[in-house]
């Protein structure tokens, strides 16, 4: 399990660098397995504490169990929870029926941007992994975004020997990615090693279906799987060659690249 | 990715168009390491766009890259083969994207260098070799690609091998293998080629398995750069990654450059089954000390018999990625481990020509993508090591504006004139017998920290008057303060010294000052006998106590280095003392 230790050490180092260098920091928590592992790593880094707010962008289309789980952990782990929601767009009737890209842009990207603007966070910790899809493989650990939240992937700052970008022009912010080196199996192996409570939606609960990746209810479909435990998920992943996000509609036809250029996670 | 397997990070570098993406595409396709449907999907896109399918397309994730046919930024992918899980870093070789190549290569344990058999060794191929050696990568495989374009000629291959081996040997880099290959046709990538019967060596895939995992830095002297200090609960935890060596509960640690020492009381961790007694290199740790000493981010903890060097001047090799050239005298921010300090390029000794590895003499400035030998001076002394001794505390980055624009390694640490005094301070601090009362308790009772206000300036410029006024103001305000004049020592402690022993006089003055500081006093020092260089000695001896330098003169003029405040002889005493006290508050002497 040495590799898990290496991953943990690097993530902890990045989290501590972020905490030291940014005066107004938050962590995005999507309630999924990755960002929950990230939250756990924060408690590792800060010896049981979660000293920065957890930001959840609630599209109102999240699966019900996710909200219950969120509120329970927030209470049990003494978290500062900030919930962001693009109320205007929702009142104007935004929904996946209007088009998936439109809906993601309005409820997630815009929803996030609204909170960032309002709270003036200059550092946002995000649980993306480089094995999730192509554009994420090109990310830096500390990735600057400009005033419009744009990501200029052609001109990213150099990053070497764990020296990161911690200075930036006023009005901009930095996305921090401590999980970049982790893979989907690593996440599950770590959940097992540390005994991290994850949301039950990831397991088959009798109907031969489980979620492999969690998003909004209308746009995420469960996969056929009888994995009922973390061990069974690990075994299943070792034997699959199906991409993790194949159950997510937004990734089709390079939708992710377009979304990410505009500030999506 | 399977953690039961060994993990290994490899960077792929090569000049633009030398076929790096194609080689990677081929490696993944031939080892069946692509996600289901990925190959078909890319073939499909090509068919729809009327393009001939290329293996490179499998790796170029951005639309724009597919259009231009180049890899823009470094990407990481994973594949599993044999007993290993490989993390492949695809680093673009295009000249403008050098900073991306460096970002990618800095993470790697080994490198695959790609050279186009038709084009031969380009300047970029040499530059890549040079940068890999500068980044400390010792394990290299060279793939001579596009062998199909030179008729699979052994001669062509041997010529490139000979020339490139000779070049790399100057960098003390000895590639494990040279492999003739054609990524397009799959020759010697994952499968042996029938087209080159003269080649009896390994395929690329086989060569990867022969890279060895680098040993942990556990056997080196201990280095823990302090990352932060946490007080979320009653524990006061010092956080930092063990960059080299290892430490245990009960070890005496010394923090450089402050020279503070304390014993490790506990090692703290969240959600671990057993109490942790020791921590090896590589781990992000947290520990508490037996004493509440004041240490801060940027200091380096070590064992006292093998502490890092402390200096403000060193020779380095740097590479520059910034748009603006670096002039002699250029001022930047230097980051080494967790320390951040202002720096100046004191001298440019030469630009290293990547093609010949020769050193052009005394250039005026360093341009983008240059590698140069320089002398760096930092504003205050920092803890560091020679890169050859301990790599992680011997390498640094240079920040201009908002970004990291350069990187480098420490070649040689210069001892400055204060070094003998710094060494004395170290020895003395290690062996100092402490009393029962800790400085924190004195601070609590006095309501202020100790600190020293050094007055400089010509005779008659009014510094004695101002110093006395300041002493009176501080005393009346309830502070523990003492005016220390060099003259007083001359007739007592220094009675055995002649006028030519001035340095010894200064040393004794500094030691007396540091005893007063340990006793919690604010020391106001004024003397005409000491020059500027002497004040540097005093600083070295009283380090890390806060020093405020106040200069007084008859007229406006250039100020000595490190002056904090300047007053004219004609200035209002009261106002001047007020300004000094404000700075004392700012510097955390007065609370």
């Amino acid at each position: 399990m040495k590799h898990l230790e290496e991953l943990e050490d690097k993530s902890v180092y990045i989290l501590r660098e972020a905490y030291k260098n940014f005066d107004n920091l938050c962590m995005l928590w999507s309630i999924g397995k990755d960002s929950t592992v990230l939250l756990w790593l924060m408690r590792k880094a800060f010896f049981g504490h979660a000293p920065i707010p957890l930001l959840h962008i609630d599209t109102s289309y999240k699966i019900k169990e996710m909200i219950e789980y969120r509120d329970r952990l927030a209470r049990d782990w003494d978290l500062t929870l900030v919930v962001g929601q693009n109320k205007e767009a929702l009142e104007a009737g935004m929904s996946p029926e209007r088009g998936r890209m439109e809906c993601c842009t309005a409820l997630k990207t815009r929803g996030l941007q609204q909170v960032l603007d309002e709270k003036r966070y200059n550092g946002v910790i995000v649980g993306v992994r480089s094995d999730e899809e192509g554009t994420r493989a090109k990310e830096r650990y500390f990735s600057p975004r400009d005033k419009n939240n744009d990501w200029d992937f052609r001109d990213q700052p150099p990053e070497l020997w764990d020296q990161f970008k911690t200075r930036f022009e006023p009005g901009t912010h930095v996305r921090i990615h401590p999980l970049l080196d982790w893979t989907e199996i690593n996440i599950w192996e770590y959940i097992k090693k540390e005994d991290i409570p994850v949301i039950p939606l990831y397991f088959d609960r009798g109907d031969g279906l489980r979620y492999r990746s969690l998003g909004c209810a209308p746009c995420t479909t469960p996969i056929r799987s009888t994995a009922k435990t973390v061990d069974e998920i690990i075994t299943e992943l070792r034997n699959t060659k199906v991409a993790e996000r194949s159950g997510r509609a937004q990734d089709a036809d390079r939708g992710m690249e377009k979304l990410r250029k505009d500030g999506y996670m | 990715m399977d953690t039961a397997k060994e993990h290994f990070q490899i960077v792929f570098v090569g000049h633009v168009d030398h076929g790096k993406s194609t080689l990677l595409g081929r490696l993944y396709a031939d080892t069946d390491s692509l996600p289901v449907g990925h190959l078909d999907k890319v073939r499909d896109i090509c068919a729809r766009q009327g393009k001939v399918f290329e293996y490179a397309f499998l790796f170029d994730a951005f639309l724009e890259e597919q259009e231009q046919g180049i890899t823009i930024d470094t990407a990481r992918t994973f594949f599993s083969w044999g007993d290993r899980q490989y993390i492949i870093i695809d680093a673009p070789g295009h000249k403008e994207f050098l900073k991306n190549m460096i970002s990618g290569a800095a993470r790697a344990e080994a490198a695959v260098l790609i050279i186009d058999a038709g084009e031969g060794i380009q300047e970029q191929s040499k530059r890549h070799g040079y940068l890999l050696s500068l980044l400390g990568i010792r394990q290299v495989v060279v793939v001579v690609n596009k062998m199909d374009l030179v008729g699979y000629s052994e001669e062509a291959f041997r010529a490139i091998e000979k020339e490139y081996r000779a070049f790399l040997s100057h960098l003390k880099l000895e590639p494990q293998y040279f492999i003739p290959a054609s990524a397009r046709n799959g020759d010697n990538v994952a499968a042996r080629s029938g087209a080159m019967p003269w080649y009896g060596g390994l395929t690329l895939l086989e060569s990867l398995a022969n890279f060895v995992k680098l040993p942990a830095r556990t056997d080196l002297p201990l280095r823990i750069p302090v990352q932060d200090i946490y007080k979320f609960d009653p524990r006061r935890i010092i956080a930092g990654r063990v960059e080299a060596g290892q430490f245990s509960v009960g070890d005496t640690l010394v923090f450089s450059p402050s020279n503070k020492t304390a014993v490790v009381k506990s090692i703290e961790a969240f959600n671990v089954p057993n109490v942790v007694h020791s921590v090896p290199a590589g781990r992000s740790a947290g520990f508490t000390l037996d004493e509440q000493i004041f240490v801060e981010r940027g200091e380096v903890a070590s064992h006292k018999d093998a502490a890092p060097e402390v200096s403000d001047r060193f020779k380095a090799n740097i590479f520059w990625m910034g748009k603006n050239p670096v002039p002699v005298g250029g001022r930047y921010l230097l980051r080494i481990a967790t320390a951040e300090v202002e720096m100046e390029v004191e001298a440019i000794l030469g630009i290293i020509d990547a093609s010949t590895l020769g050193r052009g003499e005394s250039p005026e400035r360093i341009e983008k993508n240059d590698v140069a030998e320089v002398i760096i001076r930092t504003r205050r002394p920092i803890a560091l090591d020679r890169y050859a001794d301990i790599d992680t505390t011997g390498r640094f980055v240079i920040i201009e504006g908002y970004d990291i624009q350069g990187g480098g390694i420490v070649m040689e640490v210069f001892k400055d004139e204060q070094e003998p005094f710094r060494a004395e301070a170290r020895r003395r601090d290690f062996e100092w017998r402490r009393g029962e009362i800790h400085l924190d308790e004195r601070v609590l009772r006095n309501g202020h920290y100790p600190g020293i206000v050094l007055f400089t300036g010509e005779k008659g410029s009014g510094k004695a008057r101002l110093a006395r006024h300041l002493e009176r103001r501080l005393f009346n305000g309830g502070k523990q303060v003492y005016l220390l004049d060099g003259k007083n020592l001359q007739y007592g402690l220094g009675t055995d010294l002649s006028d030519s022993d001035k340095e010894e006089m200064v040393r004794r003055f500094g030691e007396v000052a540091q005893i007063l500081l340990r006793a919690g006093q604010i020391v106001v020092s004024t003397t005409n006998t000491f020059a500027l260089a002497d004040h540097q000695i005093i600083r070295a001896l009283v380090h890390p106590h806060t020093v405020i330098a106040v200069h007084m003169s008859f007229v406006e003029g250039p100020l000595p280095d490190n002056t904090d405040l300047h007053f004219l002889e004609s200035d209002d005493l009261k106002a001047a003392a007020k300004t000094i006290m404000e700075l004392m508050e700012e510097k955390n002497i007065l609370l």
Side-chain angles (χ1 to χ4, degrees):
Chain A
M1 298 304 258
K2 202 167 176 304
H3 184 62
L4 281 185
E5 281 183 3
E6 283 170 18
L7 290 170
E8 179 191 283
D9 284 322
K10 174 111 178 192
S11 300
V12 163
Y13 189 81
I14 292 170
L15 286 167
R16 289 176 178 172
E17 282 302 279
Y19 184 68
K20 182 72 195 177
N21 283 294
F22 292 82
D23 55 8
N24 198 8
L25 193 64
C26 69
M27 180 186 282
L28 284 187
W29 185 28
S30 73
I31 331 295
K33 61 187 186 307
D34 300 326
S35 58
T36 303
V37 163
L38 189 57
L39 170 55
W40 187 268
L41 286 164
M42 175 154 78
R43 299 173 85 214
K44 278 263 169 185
F46 306 117
F47 305 96
H49 299 268
I52 60 166
L54 277 297
L55 175 57
H56 181 229
I57 303 302
D58 187 358
T59 57
S60 83
Y61 290 102
K62 296 288 173 196
I63 303 165
K64 197 171 109 265
E65 286 102 314
M66 292 174 73
I67 304 301
E68 289 164 7
Y69 169 85
R70 177 191 77 187
D71 294 341
R72 183 162 54 80
L73 279 201
R75 203 177 48 238
D76 291 353
W77 291 356
D78 195 16
L79 309 175
T80 307
L81 191 63
V82 175
V83 178
Q85 195 166 55
N86 188 348
K87 292 209 175 70
E88 268 168 51
L90 282 169
E91 275 161 25
M94 179 53 75
S95 80
E97 280 98 62
R98 301 251 180 121
R100 289 204 174 93
M101 288 285 285
E102 287 73 12
C103 186
C104 271
T105 303
L107 298 185
K108 289 186 180 173
T109 310
R110 273 301 301 156
L112 171 64
Q113 216 167 322
Q114 284 170 0
V115 187
L116 297 184
D117 289 348
E118 186 200 328
K119 301 269 183 180
R120 299 182 177 280
Y121 291 120
N122 55 9
V124 184
I125 302 174
V126 188
V128 307
R129 310 189 323 264
S130 63
D131 73 328
E132 284 177 280
E133 46 83 48
T135 61
R136 289 180 178 175
K138 308 223 167 197
E139 272 289 8
R140 295 286 198 260
Y141 299 107
F142 284 61
S143 175
R145 304 295 151 123
D146 69 10
K147 291 185 187 69
N148 306 316
N149 264 299
D150 282 345
W151 178 40
D152 186 358
F153 55 80
R154 270 162 303 180
D155 189 25
Q156 298 197 66
E159 196 165 71
L160 53 157
W161 304 323
D162 288 350
Q163 295 288 0
F164 308 113
K165 180 177 174 69
T166 50
R167 291 166 179 266
F168 41 89
E169 276 179 74
T172 62
H173 72 277
V174 173
R175 295 270 179 89
I176 298 145
H177 302 127
L179 294 185
L180 224 47
D181 297 339
W182 296 58
T183 62
E184 189 185 6
I185 292 190
N186 295 153
I187 293 289
W188 284 109
E189 285 170 331
Y190 193 68
I191 288 169
K192 177 181 153 73
K193 176 173 174 268
E194 295 285 321
D195 200 13
I196 304 169
V198 289
I199 192 158
L201 290 168
Y202 284 112
F203 305 104
D204 167 29
R205 288 173 292 170
D207 54 0
L209 293 171
R210 72 174 191 88
Y211 284 90
R212 187 165 166 199
S213 172
L214 284 178
C216 291
C219 297
T220 313
T221 48
I223 58 162
R224 287 199 177 284
S225 163
T226 54
K228 292 185 174 62
T229 62
V230 175
D231 277 320
E232 284 169 18
I233 289 179
I234 293 170
T235 308
E236 178 184 291
L237 291 176
R238 283 193 181 145
N239 295 308
T240 184
K241 288 182 76 185
V242 177
E244 176 184 8
R245 297 173 66 94
S246 52
R248 308 222 6 197
Q250 59 185 214
D251 289 10
D253 286 333
R254 292 193 174 273
M256 197 56 152
E257 180 179 340
K258 289 176 203 131
L259 280 171
R260 282 177 62 73
K261 261 176 91 167
D262 297 335
Y264 184 64
M265 290 72 78
Chain B
M1 191 156 68
D2 191 342
T3 50
K5 294 184 171 190
E6 182 175 87
H7 287 70
F8 203 85
Q9 306 219 34
I10 303 177
V11 66
F12 276 58
V13 293
H15 186 55
V16 65
D17 290 337
H18 280 198
K20 195 161 38 64
S21 299
T22 310
L23 188 68
L24 282 171
R26 186 50 102 157
L27 189 66
Y28 277 61
D30 289 2
T31 52
D32 204 17
S33 307
L34 295 164
V36 166
H38 191 67
L39 188 64
D40 289 337
K41 187 174 139 197
V42 176
R43 279 190 201 279
D44 194 46
I45 293 174
C46 289
R48 264 191 288 144
Q49 296 181 353
K51 280 197 273 190
V52 179
F53 167 79
E54 295 207 22
Y55 280 94
F57 294 160
L58 294 170
F59 270 81
D60 293 339
F62 289 109
L63 290 167
E64 206 163 294
E65 290 181 355
Q66 290 194 4
E67 280 156 19
Q68 293 179 14
I70 56 168
T71 309
I72 289 171
D73 201 347
T74 186
R76 248 166 306 178
T77 51
F78 306 87
F79 93 95
S80 189
W81 192 253
D83 299 332
R84 274 213 183 129
Q85 189 78 53
Y86 291 97
I87 299 137
I88 302 285
I89 305 157
D90 178 12
H94 207 272
K95 192 164 174 178
E96 284 116 275
F97 306 134
L98 190 72
K99 60 180 181 173
N100 296 329
M101 180 240 149
I102 285 174
S103 300
R107 296 176 198 150
E109 296 161 273
V112 174
L113 252 155
I114 297 139
I115 293 176
D116 184 317
E119 276 191 33
I121 296 156
Q122 301 287 300
E123 198 232 327
Q124 279 298 305
S125 315
K126 294 192 171 176
R127 188 180 289 273
H128 286 150
Y130 188 73
L131 288 168
L132 289 179
S133 87
L134 204 59
L135 292 168
I137 293 168
R138 311 310 305 177
Q139 305 193 77
V140 175
V141 162
V142 180
V143 172
V144 180
N145 190 28
K146 303 194 190 179
M147 285 299 292
D148 51 322
L149 299 185
V150 295
Y152 293 109
S153 148
E154 180 174 10
E155 259 180 12
F157 171 73
R158 295 292 173 209
I160 290 173
E161 176 180 6
K162 191 174 168 212
E163 186 187 341
Y164 204 46
R165 259 192 205 282
F167 172 77
L168 292 178
S169 73
H170 292 300
L171 301 168
K172 298 189 174 62
L173 261 185
E174 196 192 338
Q176 271 89 339
Y177 307 102
F178 269 80
I179 301 169
S182 165
R184 183 184 297 248
N185 299 336
D187 296 301
N188 290 339
V189 179
R192 199 163 293 278
S193 166
M196 290 173 277
W198 47 266
Y199 177 72
L202 304 181
T203 61
L204 173 63
L205 186 61
E206 287 165 339
S207 77
L208 301 185
N210 285 2
F211 282 133
V212 294
K213 195 84 186 154
L214 300 176
R217 299 178 177 92
T218 303
D219 295 337
L220 295 171
L222 176 69
R223 298 288 182 268
I224 317 169
V226 175
Q227 202 175 358
D228 210 344
I229 287 122
Y230 300 133
K231 278 171 275 188
F232 298 122
D233 48 41
R235 298 172 292 178
R236 183 173 178 272
I237 301 176
I238 298 177
R241 185 165 60 190
V242 184
E243 297 289 356
Q246 51 191 322
F247 76 105
S248 305
V249 173
D251 284 4
T252 300
L253 299 184
V254 51
F255 293 82
S256 299
S258 79
N259 277 345
K260 303 252 171 95
T261 60
V263 175
V264 178
K265 190 167 104 188
S266 68
I267 290 169
E268 300 291 330
F270 170 73
N271 197 45
V272 291
N274 301 309
V275 177
V276 185
H277 291 292
S278 74
V279 185
R283 301 238 62 183
S284 283
F287 55 91
T288 66
L289 297 170
D290 68 331
E291 256 189 85
Q292 299 279 310
I293 59 168
F294 178 76
V295 291
E296 54 190 338
R297 179 179 164 95
E299 295 205 52
V300 178
S302 69
H303 291 124
K304 64 182 185 179
D305 52 354
E309 307 248 23
V310 172
S311 178
D312 59 5
R313 202 164 162 263
F314 59 93
K315 189 161 92 179
N317 280 356
I318 65 168
F319 49 87
W320 187 247
M321 300 172 276
K323 278 198 258 326
N324 308 321
V326 178
V328 176
R331 283 168 186 271
Y332 304 92
L333 208 57
L334 178 100
R335 255 201 236 151
I336 184 162
T338 56
E340 199 170 88
V341 62
E342 283 175 57
M343 62 156 271
E344 184 186 324
V345 177
E346 186 184 291
I348 300 171
L349 303 175
I351 304 286
I352 294 151
D353 181 338
S355 300
T356 62
L357 299 179
R359 203 183 82 178
E361 288 306 315
S362 313
E364 309 235 308
R365 48 202 215 155
I366 304 165
E367 305 284 347
K368 185 178 177 177
N369 294 338
D370 276 344
V371 176
E373 194 179 40
V374 296
I375 291 175
I376 288 173
R377 186 185 275 283
T378 55
R379 200 186 172 97
R380 52 185 172 79
I382 47 167
L384 73 175
D385 287 288
R386 272 178 3 113
Y387 181 75
D389 298 333
I390 303 179
D391 58 351
T392 50
T393 41
R395 59 195 184 193
F396 56 87
V397 295
I398 299 171
I399 296 166
E400 182 185 34
Y402 298 112
D403 276 312
I404 292 169
Q405 305 281 25
I409 57 177
V410 177
M411 305 302 289
E412 190 185 341
V413 181
F414 297 125
K415 308 238 181 259
D416 56 24
E417 283 151 22
Q418 279 76 53
E419 179 53 32
F421 301 100
R422 212 175 280 132
E424 170 182 322
R426 257 182 192 223
R427 268 195 312 278
R428 172 248 287 156
D429 285 354
F430 289 162
E431 302 307 330
W432 197 266
R433 302 287 176 94
R434 290 183 176 84
E436 195 55 40
I437 293 115
H438 192 264
L439 185 63
D440 284 352
E441 297 174 66
R442 294 185 198 277
V443 170
L444 206 63
R445 179 177 289 181
N446 294 343
H448 61 82
Y449 277 89
I452 178 163
V453 186
L454 281 173
F455 282 90
T456 64
E458 280 170 63
K459 199 179 170 117
S461 58
K463 55 184 195 304
R465 265 192 308 140
L466 178 54
R468 281 160 195 284
H469 180 74
L470 180 70
E471 185 195 22
R472 172 56 66 189
R473 286 276 296 267
L474 288 168
F475 182 80
N476 288 354
K479 315 295 183 241
Q480 297 292 332
V481 57
Y482 191 77
L483 185 109
L484 186 65
D485 192 299
K487 272 271 184 275
N488 298 347
L489 270 64
Q490 223 173 326
Y491 301 113
L493 201 59
T495 185
D496 56 326
L497 301 178
S498 71
D499 284 352
S500 59
D501 291 329
K502 211 183 88 215
E503 196 172 273
E504 174 58 16
M505 192 65 235
V506 176
R507 191 190 69 76
R508 292 184 191 182
F509 184 89
E511 289 292 359
V512 172
Q514 84 76 33
I515 290 174
L516 288 170
L517 291 165
R518 271 181 198 264
Q521 300 279 318
I522 292 167
V523 178
V524 178
S525 145
T526 162
T527 171
N528 284 325
T529 34
F530 300 156
L532 183 67
D534 305 328
H535 284 114
Q536 291 308 108
I537 294 174
I538 296 169
R539 278 173 192 269
L541 288 171
V542 304
H543 184 84
H545 290 292
T546 308
V547 179
I548 292 176
V550 182
H551 188 73
M552 293 204 68
S553 61
F554 295 101
V555 287
E556 296 281 356
L559 298 174
D561 281 356
N562 296 315
T563 299
D564 295 295
L565 291 171
H566 171 234
F567 300 105
L568 290 172
E569 186 247 343
S570 56
D571 279 347
D572 174 5
L573 272 189
K574 261 175 123 171
K578 188 165 171 275
T579 309
I580 296 170
M581 287 166 69
E582 278 163 6
L583 186 64
M584 290 171 81
E585 262 175 51
E586 211 174 291
K587 295 226 176 191
N588 208 28
I589 298 174
L590 301 182
L591 299 173

